[in-house]
Amino acid sequence: MRRSDRKQNRLNGYDYSRDALYFVTSCVKDKSCVFGKVVDSEMHLNSYGFIAEQQWYWLQEQYPYVISHAFVVMPNHVHGILEIDNSLVGTGRDLSTLELSNETDVFPISAQKIKSLSEIIGAYKTTSSKLIRTTGLTGFEWQRSFHDHIIRSDKSYGKIKDYILSNPERWADDVFFER
């Protein structure tokens, strides 16, 4: 059920499982700073921040068609650039939709389903939440949904990548900074 007063999160009619580069931001619920601290313009991750980082890179292991170009864990949010590359299907371990072939016991390439960006980020948020809660932060929650931007040019890619990598240096001026 769609609420008429709620802003639509995704580009209407766009196939978010197609080959593209996506800039993604996901925040911790209530902007709670649970992943560590920025000290002298460097992010120092705590155990929960390490989980958030580890699970981002897990996405590439789980879904071989996903490539991470840049990523940062901040005290209360994460920024990253993910690429979906359909040409990499069938080269890895996304076994969730595959069936064994009766004749050769190999996974048919065409059977592998490419997950959409929302499904990929959903897997990230679900697995990181479970691990963070298991590690002791039992009330941990991500904010509902996430922000995305489809990167359409090299110039845009460069600006966004620089923004992500220099985010700790600008933490005091960040919109997510808790004063």
Side-chain angles (χ1 to χ4, degrees):
M1 180 175 178
R2 182 177 298 246
R3 288 181 40 180
S4 60
D5 62 334
R6 182 171 281 160
K7 177 184 166 279
Q8 186 172 344
N9 291 326
R10 308 291 159 247
L11 183 61
N12 194 21
Y14 186 84
D15 178 3
Y16 279 88
S17 64
R18 69 186 273 194
D19 289 0
L21 291 159
Y22 302 96
F23 171 44
V24 175
T25 299
S26 188
C27 299
V28 175
K29 187 173 182 183
D30 299 326
K31 296 184 188 174
S32 298
C33 293
V34 298
F35 294 144
K37 296 182 184 219
V38 175
V39 178
D40 296 327
S41 298
E42 285 187 28
M43 182 61 196
H44 295 270
L45 300 175
N46 60 22
S47 60
Y48 309 125
F50 279 117
I51 291 170
E53 182 179 67
Q54 161 195 317
Q55 289 311 108
W56 184 266
Y57 295 116
W58 168 85
L59 291 172
Q60 294 178 112
E61 296 170 20
Q62 186 68 19
Y63 310 111
Y65 47 86
V66 171
I67 302 162
S68 177
H69 286 253
F71 177 68
V72 66
V73 176
M74 295 299 292
N76 59 8
H77 66 283
V78 297
H79 290 299
I81 297 174
L82 284 180
E83 178 179 4
I84 294 178
D85 183 346
N86 287 285
S87 71
L88 300 175
V89 173
T91 62
R93 301 177 19 186
D94 182 7
L95 308 180
S96 60
T97 59
L98 298 180
E99 296 180 23
L100 286 175
S101 165
N102 291 337
E103 298 173 18
T104 60
D105 288 340
V106 296
F107 295 106
I109 291 174
S110 61
Q112 190 172 29
K113 178 186 177 290
I114 300 294
K115 294 192 180 304
S116 70
L117 182 64
S118 290
E119 291 171 310
I120 292 166
I121 298 303
Y124 170 72
K125 291 168 87 171
T126 298
T127 59
S128 60
S129 294
K130 286 180 181 178
L131 289 169
I132 289 169
R133 289 183 197 125
T134 301
T135 310
L137 191 58
T138 56
F140 176 79
E141 290 183 55
W142 288 101
Q143 179 178 299
R144 183 189 166 278
S145 195
F146 62 95
H147 169 78
D148 76 87
H149 171 79
I150 303 162
I151 300 173
R152 300 175 190 259
S153 71
D154 290 341
K155 183 178 179 181
S156 177
Y157 173 83
K159 284 183 177 182
I160 292 168
K161 184 175 179 183
D162 181 58
Y163 173 80
I164 291 169
L165 298 178
S166 64
N167 210 244
E169 297 167 26
R170 295 183 328 278
W171 174 236
D173 299 321
D174 197 296
V175 296
F176 301 113
F177 181 73
E178 284 290 314
R179 300 197 193 296

